[in-house]
Amino acid sequence: MSSDDLTELSLKLNMEEKNETELEQIEMELLLNGIHQYYGYDFRNYAVPSLRRRIWHHVYAEGLTTISALQNKVLHERDCFERLIFSLSIPVTEMFRDPQAFLTFRQKVIPLLRTYPYIRIWHAGCSTGEEVYSMAIMLHEEGLYDKARIYATDMNSRSLQQAKEGVFDIKKMKQYTKNYLEAGGTRSFSEYYTAKYNSVIFHPFLKKNMIFAEHNLATDRSFNEFNVIFCRNVMIYFNDELRDHVHGLFHESLSHFGILVLGAKESIHFTSFSEAYEALDRSEKIYRKIK
Ligand SMILES: C[S@@+](CC[C@H](N)C(=O)[O-])C[C@H]1O[C@@H](n2cnc3c(N)ncnc32)[C@H](O)[C@@H]1O
């Protein structure tokens, strides 16, 4: 092949690649617009790389070969839409995830909460509830649970159902016990659950002040005023615009001196609300609203 032929071939391949990328972008937009218009779920401002990966994964999982084919199936079959929501929602979680963050919360935030007559906590994007039961255990050990209400929300109804049941895989208890102790747990972790076959069920007293509800951070509004908001490992999947929108929602929903807890890879910096908070603990991403 002459060098002219090679150049022409390379140009052709580049053009094909460009066309495919353009087409993929159009198909993604059509899929996300369709879901938004038909089902009211808004994924249009999720970060593209992970969204794209998950959509393609789902295309193949449904036995399809194009995003357009997925759009057709999602719009015509509600079950397919439910499955897509589940795979887009990334429900990965743990009890006392990042134990150091829970330990710091216990050391720096619990003393502040002790001075309040009642405590309202919102776990936004609570997934299957591990974070919420961790909070209930910590408040119980600190003698604060009776005056607390924990609002646990997620857009994913399947995850929420599991959270309400409080049933978890027994295999995970070894890791969760380790996390609990590192997070400053003061008892034997097994006091909090009963094992049954391959699962454990957490004691119902932990659920008595929990309220579970579907809430979508992209489309739903503020619904109460809170002393603490936990939103960990949720906004990493959002683009800057949606992240800012959600920070607006949290700012509106936090009382003065309210506490915002973000995930290990998240930060209030580089958002429009960075000036509205001071860091109670910068490395554990625990902030206090000051404006
Ligand atoms: C990786 S999990 C984080 C769970 C827990 N906060 C933790 O850190 O272990 C992310 C959760 O965010 C939820 N989520 C994603 N987008 C959401 C949205 N727009 N509104 C509410 N929840 C959302 C997902 O359904 C998922 O359960």
Side-chain angles (χ1 to χ4, degrees), residues 46 89-93 97 125 127 131 154-156 215-218 232-234 238:
Y46 278 50
S89 88
I90 317 174
V92 183
T93 185
R97 185 178 192 176
S127 184
E131 189 182 85
D154 202 282
M155 67 168 182
N156 185 336
H215 181 278
N216 193 319
L217 292 165
R232 310 188 70 228
N233 309 301
V234 179
F238 297 172

Side-chain angles (χ1 to χ4, degrees), residues 58-162:
H58 203 73
V59 167
Y60 298 128
E62 294 286 338
L64 305 168
T65 53
T66 63
I67 297 177
S68 300
L70 181 65
Q71 181 200 326
N72 184 45
K73 196 166 178 190
V74 158
L75 293 181
H76 290 274
E77 294 176 28
R78 176 133 200 140
D79 281 359
C80 176
F81 165 68
E82 302 277 352
R83 290 193 293 275
L84 177 65
I85 291 290
F86 198 69
S87 45
L88 291 187
S89 88
I90 317 174
V92 183
T93 185
E94 282 181 11
M95 288 191 80
F96 296 97
R97 185 178 192 176
D98 307 318
Q100 186 62 38
F102 278 87
L103 180 64
T104 307
F105 188 90
R106 206 186 261 261
Q107 293 167 339
K108 296 193 174 171
V109 181
I110 292 284
L112 304 174
L113 300 183
R114 240 180 244 303
T115 64
Y116 297 177
Y118 59 84
I119 308 159
R120 269 201 293 264
I121 301 180
W122 179 14
H123 287 268
C126 70
S127 184
T128 40
E130 284 81 340
E131 189 182 85
V132 187
Y133 287 86
S134 308
M135 176 60 77
I137 288 171
M138 184 163 55
L139 293 173
H140 167 71
E141 291 183 357
E142 296 295 335
L144 296 180
Y145 191 49
D146 283 343
K147 64 171 180 174
R149 287 287 172 283
I150 306 183
Y151 295 78
T153 66
D154 202 282
M155 67 168 182
N156 185 336
S157 57
R158 261 163 78 180
S159 296
L160 269 182
Q161 186 51 37
Q162 210 177 318

Side-chain angles (χ1 to χ4, degrees), residues 17-31 48 52-53 55-56 67:
E17 212 172 282
K18 182 174 167 279
N19 288 344
E20 290 222 341
T21 315
E22 243 177 60
L23 189 59
E24 183 193 61
Q25 209 179 324
I26 291 169
E27 287 182 287
M28 288 249 300
E29 273 175 34
L30 290 171
L31 171 70
V48 173
R52 183 176 168 273
R53 230 181 9 256
I55 287 176
W56 273 114
I67 297 177

Side-chain angles (χ1 to χ4, degrees), residues 1-68:
M1 222 183 251
S2 73
S3 71
D4 280 354
D5 288 345
L6 277 174
T7 313
E8 198 176 318
L9 182 63
S10 143
L11 278 173
K12 195 165 169 249
L13 287 176
N14 279 345
M15 273 305 284
E16 277 172 13
E17 212 172 282
K18 182 174 167 279
N19 288 344
E20 290 222 341
T21 315
E22 243 177 60
L23 189 59
E24 183 193 61
Q25 209 179 324
I26 291 169
E27 287 182 287
M28 288 249 300
E29 273 175 34
L30 290 171
L31 171 70
L32 301 180
N33 281 334
I35 290 176
H36 182 233
Q37 281 180 38
Y38 193 60
Y39 293 108
Y41 280 73
D42 194 355
F43 291 101
R44 293 172 303 171
N45 283 317
Y46 278 50
V48 173
S50 86
L51 188 63
R52 183 176 168 273
R53 230 181 9 256
R54 294 203 165 253
I55 287 176
W56 273 114
H57 180 81
H58 203 73
V59 167
Y60 298 128
E62 294 286 338
L64 305 168
T65 53
T66 63
I67 297 177
S68 300

